[in-house]
Amino acid sequence: MDNFAAQDHLACLQLIRSANIGPVTYLHLIARYGTAQAALRAIPGLAARGGGRAPRLAELAGIEREVECVQALGARYLFLGQPHYPPLLAEIENAPPVLIYRGRLDLLDRPMIAMVGARNASAAACRFARGLARDLGRAGASVVSGLARGIDTAAHEGSLESGTIAVIASGIDIAFPPENAALQEKIAHEGLLLAEQPPGTEPRARHFPYRNRIIAGLSIGAVVVEAAPRSGSLITARLAAEAGREVMAVPGSPLDPRAQGCNSLIREGATLIQSAADVMEAVGPMDARFVRQHNIPFAHEPVAADATERERQDILSLLSLTPAPVDELIRQSGLPPAIVQTVLLELELAGRLERHAGGKVSLA
C-alpha cells in the first residue's frame, strides 16, 4: 500500500490482529483513544479494570511479515477512513477496519448491487442470475457476490466484463471453492477481489457470516436468486435489511425447496424482481445516499468515559450467558451510553464478554 511504512497503519493492523479485538471493539477503542497507537498502550489497563489479563497483542514482526506477503501477492490494504473506502460499508456498526484487495478500486465508485443465492442452484436459476448480472453491469452497477458455487459464480460470470466485485471468506491468496480458482484470479485482474482475513487464512464456518456482512454493507440493495430456508443467502438479506438497504428476491416454484427462501422474503415485504429494470427501479430511492465521499471522517475525537466500580457492577449484574441488546443494557442501567460501552469494552478485552450479531452481548 502507498506509504505503508507509516506507523499509524502498522498500529492499526496490530490492533485489529490482536486477540479479543474484533471490528466493534476496534472502533470503540479508536473512538475512545483517537489513534491505534494510543489504544494499544491503553489495553492492559482496560483489561485489568475488566477483571482479567490483557489479551495477547499481535507481534509487530508478524504484522511486518504480513505486509511483505500482501505486497508480494500484488495486493494492497484499504483502511477505514481512507478516501476509497466505500461510504455505505463505513455506515455499518461492525465495518471492517481494514480490507485487502486486488484489482480495480474504481468499481467501488459505482452503485453496487449484491447478488446471492443457493450453492446447489438449478440450471435455470444460474442462467437467470448470469443474465441479470450482465444487464445490471450494462446499467452501470457493480455486481457484488461471494464467489461461492451456484448463484454467486453465475453472478460473477455475468458481470465480469462490466465490473464484478468478489468478497471472499479466506485470505486474498486462498481460492475457495477450489474449482473457482481460475475465476477468482480473473476477477483479481479484471474486477475487484476483497478479503478481510490476512493472507494464508483458510475459510472457516465462522468467516462466512463476516463475509456476508461486507457484501450487504457494500451494496445499496441485495438480490436473492434461489435460497433454501435458513441459508447463508437469507443471512445476507437480513443484514442488508438491518443496514437499511433494499432487499429483493426472484420468485420461484412453490414445489422447489430452493425457492422457499425467496418466496418467504417476498411474502415478508421484499421487492419481487424479474429483470434488471426492476432492480434499478427498486434501488432508485437509495441513489441519493450513494455519494462518493473522498474524505470519509474517521478521525474520531477521543471519548473520555471512565466508569466507577459501582457502575461496572451495575452493568455486570445485567449480563448473562443469554445475548442481550446493548441498547437494553443502557436503558435498564440508566447510565450514559459512553459509560456502558466503556465497561463492555473492558470486559471484552478481559475475555469475559462476547459480542453477537445485531448489537447483542453476553458473558463469555
Side-chain angles (χ1 to χ4, degrees):
M1 138 171 224
D2 296 336
N3 301 319
F4 192 81
Q7 291 301 308
D8 57 340
H9 286 157
L10 286 172
C12 287
L13 271 178
Q14 188 178 11
L15 185 60
I16 192 59
R17 301 293 188 237
S18 294
N20 293 359
I21 298 176
V24 174
T25 305
Y26 176 99
L27 295 173
H28 284 311
L29 285 168
I30 296 296
R32 180 175 170 82
Y33 294 101
T35 68
Q37 291 174 329
L40 287 166
R41 292 192 296 268
I43 284 173
L46 288 170
R49 288 197 289 273
R53 293 182 178 180
R56 180 180 54 82
L57 298 180
E59 295 182 359
L60 189 57
I63 297 301
E64 291 171 341
R65 286 194 297 270
E66 178 187 324
V67 173
E68 292 173 359
C69 180
V70 167
Q71 292 174 338
L73 291 167
R76 293 190 174 191
Y77 289 95
L78 181 61
F79 287 87
L80 180 62
Q82 286 189 318
H84 284 285
Y85 194 95
L88 287 183
L89 183 60
E91 287 184 3
I92 67 175
E93 70 163 355
N94 56 350
V98 60
L99 293 168
I100 300 172
Y101 73 92
R102 292 177 61 196
R104 298 170 49 193
L105 275 186
D106 65 287
L107 294 178
L108 298 175
D109 293 331
R110 306 177 184 176
M112 288 170 272
I113 305 293
M115 281 189 63
V116 295
R119 287 177 170 80
N120 64 334
S122 65
C126 287
R127 180 180 178 182
F128 178 86
R130 198 174 296 112
L132 181 63
R134 181 192 64 241
D135 293 344
L136 286 171
R138 291 173 178 174
S142 293
V143 173
V144 185
S145 198
L147 250 179
R149 299 179 180 93
I151 297 300
D152 288 22
T153 296
H156 290 306
E157 290 173 343
S159 57
L160 187 60
E161 182 178 338
S162 58
T164 195
I165 300 172
V167 186
I168 57 177
S170 59
I172 198 80
D173 55 335
I174 304 295
F176 184 84
E179 62 265 30
N180 273 354
L183 177 60
Q184 179 167 316
E185 188 64 21
K186 199 167 186 180
I187 292 172
H189 282 90
E190 300 177 28
L192 179 63
L193 184 67
L194 294 173
E196 183 179 17
Q197 304 301 324
T201 304
E202 295 287 345
R204 298 286 182 262
R206 68 179 183 276
H207 294 152
F208 289 95
Y210 291 120
R211 177 205 62 178
N212 293 346
R213 101 245 205 210
I214 296 175
I215 294 172
L218 284 169
S219 309
I220 59 176
V223 180
V224 184
V225 184
E226 280 196 347
R230 297 182 298 279
S231 65
S233 301
L234 296 189
I235 293 175
T236 305
R238 176 179 58 79
L239 293 170
E242 291 175 354
R245 315 300 160 81
E246 187 71 27
V247 177
M248 299 158 278
V250 178
S253 168
L255 301 178
D256 189 343
R258 292 169 294 193
Q260 290 180 6
C262 289
N263 291 344
S264 294
L265 285 174
I266 294 170
R267 187 176 67 244
E268 294 165 5
T271 302
L272 187 153
I273 292 300
Q274 299 183 92
S275 67
D278 292 341
V279 174
M280 299 311 288
E281 180 182 356
V283 300
M286 290 288 296
D287 287 347
R289 287 179 60 187
F290 190 81
V291 178
R292 167 49 53 192
Q293 300 173 7
H294 290 283
N295 291 295
I296 303 169
F298 187 61
H300 294 292
E301 291 294 325
V303 178
D306 289 326
T308 65
E309 187 57 33
R310 174 63 183 273
E311 289 169 336
R312 288 190 186 91
Q313 291 304 318
D314 287 346
I315 295 169
L316 193 57
S317 69
L318 295 173
L319 292 167
S320 70
L321 296 176
T322 302
V326 174
D327 289 346
E328 184 64 15
L329 298 178
I330 293 170
R331 188 186 70 81
Q332 290 198 34
S333 68
L335 295 171
I339 293 291
V340 175
Q341 293 289 6
T342 293
V343 174
L344 297 180
L345 181 63
E346 294 169 351
L347 292 171
E348 185 174 19
L349 292 174
R352 302 176 64 191
L353 184 88
E354 291 185 9
R355 292 189 186 271
H356 305 270
K360 296 180 178 181
V361 293
S362 71
L363 291 176

